[in-house]
Amino acid sequence: MKYFVLFSSLLFSNILMAYDDRENVKFNGVQYPISGDVSVSEKSDILFETPLSEKINDKFNRVVLQGEVNDRNIDFELWIVPSTSTVVKSSNSVLCAYIGESKIYPNGRFWARFDITQPTNFIKFVVINHGVKVDIFKIKIYEMQVLNISKKKENEVIITSTKEYSLGDDIPFKLIRRDEWKANPPKEDYIKHSPARITIHHTAGHYPEDYEDAVSEVQFIQDYHQNAKGWIDIGYHFLIGPLGDIFEGRPVLVVGAHVAGKNTNNVGISIMGNYHPPVNNEVTQKSIDSIITLIKYLKDKFKIPKNEIYGHRDLGATDCPGDLLYSKIPEIKDKVFTDTATVRVNVNLDDKDLENKIKNAVYNW
């Protein structure tokens, strides 16, 4: 653990862009995703820093965040103001620095985790130069959250299998199974549930450009959920890429981690990308077609009514799944529950009774 005296010259920040998710740590005047472009030649050891956060009233012992950078030769630190400090936001506040665990992927996607041993209400995130090669260092932070990690509840019905609690092989659409995208096994036992509702999300992060990029993003999300947030597995049951690929996440018959306090019997489907201003990724028709196909199957299999399909913001204090995607949920629900296929039937048989029976059977199918 290290201690710093924070001078006013360190309080600047190159922060742009926005995604106002009320589950994220708030910084005055700053929105998510937090972005910065920094001239390396003009910087010393500190490449990038957020301002000191607004007051965090929740009790927490872990801070997690994820985003993208364009150079991996960096270190991450979290600076906090201990609750015992009598001065909070002064330019000479004494801060305690934590060096946590982190992982930076070859494509620049990163996550970081800091376990906090001191009570605090104010934090800031700092990037340290460790031999950066680029002239302009770029960072984008999609999410920064505080967590209160606690022990597993007692007397829960737990299971260890994955395939037994997944959709069967007879599904009428292509599902990219866990073994196909090389999912890691769950860290602990699952808890069984019976799907009765569906919640639509967006990942509010990286927007994959192709299939390989989508596979990498699903792998990253599972890694972040398991090793930064401390969850047993990826939180969503299904993820959909911009090209319409449907990925199997956590098995559908076990409790996920996608709506705080409302995960039991709730199937989480997340479309990869950020569909909220000012990012506004394109909601592709392929992704819409895929989510309609998936929800149609799930509502038939589990007898889920139309009024039990939600956007994340309907169930919690968040902007998820973004204004763009949320605006399409009524259309998605209508097509899931009211669309009927047009079938052209041409039957030429000598037996008119048989011909009529076949026609009636097809029309009533």
Side-chain angles (χ1 to χ4, degrees):
M1 191 176 298
K2 301 186 292 185
Y3 291 87
F4 295 88
V5 176
L6 184 67
F7 296 99
S8 59
S9 62
L10 299 182
L11 289 174
F12 78 96
S13 178
N14 265 340
I15 297 178
L16 309 168
M17 302 184 68
Y19 176 66
D20 183 19
D21 183 343
R22 283 166 283 180
E23 295 176 347
N24 281 323
V25 173
K26 293 183 176 65
F27 300 93
N28 187 32
V30 178
Q31 295 176 302
Y32 286 81
I34 302 171
S35 296
D37 293 359
V38 181
S39 175
V40 176
S41 63
E42 298 175 1
K43 303 298 294 179
S44 56
D45 290 341
I46 297 176
L47 278 176
F48 174 85
E49 57 182 313
T50 66
L52 203 61
S53 70
E54 296 181 17
K55 185 176 182 180
I56 303 169
N57 294 314
D58 295 335
K59 181 181 178 181
F60 66 96
N61 54 21
R62 178 175 291 180
V63 177
V64 299
L65 67 153
Q66 54 100 351
E68 294 185 47
V69 291
N70 67 336
D71 195 305
R72 302 168 68 190
N73 297 295
I74 52 176
D75 293 321
F76 300 126
E77 293 185 0
L78 188 80
W79 295 5
I80 73 166
V81 179
S83 296
T84 54
S85 175
T86 57
V87 181
V88 176
K89 290 195 174 183
S90 170
S91 61
N92 62 350
S93 297
V94 175
L95 284 93
C96 174
Y98 284 85
I99 301 173
E101 294 188 31
S102 62
K103 184 174 182 179
I104 307 177
Y105 279 58
N107 66 357
R109 291 289 273 128
F110 77 88
W111 60 258
R113 183 190 79 201
F114 303 91
D115 289 323
I116 309 301
T117 59
Q118 297 174 282
T120 181
N121 300 106
F122 300 93
I123 66 174
K124 72 180 304 179
F125 175 65
V126 180
V127 180
I128 306 296
N129 189 342
H130 196 68
V132 166
K133 302 295 193 298
V134 296
D135 293 330
I136 302 295
F137 173 72
K138 297 183 178 183
I139 185 171
K140 187 176 292 183
I141 302 171
Y142 294 123
E143 175 181 279
M144 187 185 304
Q145 298 181 345
V146 296
L147 306 173
N148 191 28
I149 304 300
S150 58
K151 294 181 179 180
K152 186 171 61 178
K153 296 179 181 179
E154 300 294 333
N155 301 319
E156 292 178 333
V157 178
I158 55 179
I159 56 178
T160 56
S161 171
T162 57
K163 187 172 182 179
E164 182 180 356
Y165 292 91
S166 300
L167 294 180
D169 295 329
D170 58 344
I171 54 176
F173 55 89
K174 169 63 177 174
L175 179 64
I176 300 163
R177 301 285 185 173
R178 290 173 62 92
D179 58 348
E180 293 181 72
W181 60 267
K182 297 180 173 57
N184 291 319
K187 287 183 171 290
E188 296 180 19
D189 295 326
Y190 292 119
I191 302 168
K192 186 179 179 181
H193 75 165
S194 300
R197 65 168 51 164
I198 295 170
T199 302
I200 298 171
H201 304 260
H202 69 161
T203 58
H206 180 67
Y207 186 75
E209 296 181 357
D210 51 36
Y211 174 76
E212 289 74 19
D213 198 13
V215 171
S216 178
E217 183 66 7
V218 175
Q219 292 170 338
F220 173 85
I221 292 170
Q222 186 193 38
D223 187 20
Y224 176 60
H225 286 181
Q226 287 186 312
N227 297 312
K229 292 192 170 185
W231 297 348
I232 65 174
D233 201 351
I234 192 168
Y236 308 115
H237 294 97
F238 301 95
L239 300 95
I240 298 175
L243 297 181
D245 300 298
I246 304 174
F247 293 84
E248 178 185 33
R250 197 177 296 206
V252 70
L253 292 178
V254 303
V255 178
H258 55 97
V259 179
K262 298 177 182 177
N263 286 307
T264 302
N265 303 332
N266 189 355
V267 178
I269 303 173
S270 192
I271 296 185
M272 287 180 266
N274 189 326
Y275 304 101
H276 197 72
V279 179
N280 292 334
N281 290 141
E282 178 190 1
V283 183
T284 66
Q285 189 59 49
K286 288 182 178 179
S287 64
I288 292 297
D289 291 343
S290 289
I291 198 170
I292 289 171
T293 297
L294 177 58
I295 294 177
K296 273 185 177 181
Y297 179 80
L298 294 174
K299 67 96 174 175
D300 288 339
K301 182 174 181 63
F302 299 113
K303 311 302 181 188
I304 299 173
K306 187 175 184 179
N307 63 353
E308 289 290 350
I309 297 177
Y310 302 93
H312 186 185
R313 65 176 63 177
D314 297 325
L315 301 176
T318 175
D319 286 326
C320 181
D323 288 351
L324 281 178
L325 184 54
Y326 187 75
S327 70
K328 294 183 179 296
I329 291 180
E331 172 192 347
I332 291 170
K333 292 169 70 170
D334 285 344
K335 289 190 175 181
V336 166
F337 285 89
T338 63
D339 267 16
T340 57
T342 300
V343 181
R344 181 181 297 275
V345 181
N346 293 309
V347 182
N348 293 303
L349 297 172
D350 293 334
D351 188 333
K352 291 298 181 183
D353 289 337
L354 179 58
E355 180 180 339
N356 291 330
K357 287 180 181 179
I358 293 174
K359 285 182 177 180
N360 289 332
V362 173
Y363 280 123
N364 293 323
W365 176 67

